[in-house]
Amino acid sequence: MINFHSFSGVVTGIHDFLITPDDQTGCYQLLSVQDGANSIVNFVVSPSTYIVERDRISVGDWITGYYDANAPVPLIYPPQYRALVIVRESPVRNVKVDAFDSHLVSQDKSLKLHLAPCTKRSLTNGLAFTKSPANRDLVVIYGPSTKSIPAQTTPFEVIVLCL
């Protein structure tokens, strides 16, 4: 399971990112993100980065980028992380990215899932996921939740990250 950490802020720049000096593919981009405390993080967005609901990301959007806190990173400023998941924040949905246990409780113990027959289950490529999402890294899209600890919800969609 991945140790997901996140950083949220406003996209201040989107630039092509060269993975080698002669890279001409244009397949990688660098998103510069600044939070309310003026901290800056750069996210490397690759073809394997999952962007929730395939939202288009633009300068000025408020996003949250998720990365593996155990992955090696270059010792530079601003910090640069390989984005695993990008979420353009929206007032009409909640998104949780985390590892979930056998009881569908997130690793940070803040959310418990109750799956319904109408809960869409898919892979990042859009294909249906037919197995149990327990004990996996998930992107959960949901609406209202309880105020209990952990909060409980019946999600709209569960996306399984096969990283």
Side-chain angles (χ1 to χ4, degrees):
M1 301 265 192
I2 292 175
N3 182 12
F4 287 101
H5 279 213
S6 66
F7 185 84
S8 298
V10 174
V11 177
T12 59
I14 302 173
H15 308 283
D16 285 338
F17 182 73
L18 305 177
I19 56 172
T20 63
D22 59 343
D23 179 23
Q24 297 299 315
T25 63
C27 292
Y28 292 80
Q29 292 187 325
L30 194 69
L31 294 183
S32 296
V33 180
Q34 185 173 4
D35 70 4
N38 291 325
S39 296
I40 299 170
V41 162
N42 288 328
F43 285 112
V44 176
V45 179
S46 72
S48 64
T49 300
Y50 180 68
I51 299 177
V52 172
E53 294 183 348
R54 300 182 195 266
D55 286 340
R56 295 232 182 245
I57 307 298
S58 303
V59 171
D61 287 343
W62 186 272
I63 68 159
T64 300
Y66 293 86
Y67 59 94
D68 183 352
N70 295 332
V73 295
L75 295 174
I76 59 174
Y77 182 81
Q80 182 173 294
Y81 303 112
R82 180 178 158 259
L84 300 175
V85 177
I86 298 284
V87 179
R88 188 177 73 189
E89 297 300 336
S90 168
V92 298
R93 69 172 184 223
N94 297 304
V95 178
K96 176 75 172 170
V97 178
D98 207 348
F100 284 77
D101 67 15
S102 61
H103 301 290
L104 295 176
V105 175
S106 62
Q107 188 172 25
D108 67 2
K109 308 287 189 242
S110 68
L111 187 65
K112 178 172 177 44
L113 307 180
H114 296 285
L115 300 181
C118 62
T119 302
K120 182 179 176 186
R121 300 176 202 185
S122 61
L123 297 168
T124 56
N125 62 10
L127 294 175
F129 183 76
T130 58
K131 307 288 183 195
S132 170
N135 295 312
R136 297 181 186 272
D137 295 325
L138 304 175
V139 175
V140 179
I141 301 171
Y142 63 101
S145 64
T146 65
K147 295 190 184 291
S148 61
I149 299 175
Q152 299 182 39
T153 190
T154 302
F156 306 132
E157 184 173 5
V158 173
I159 299 101
V160 178
L161 297 172
C162 297
L163 303 172

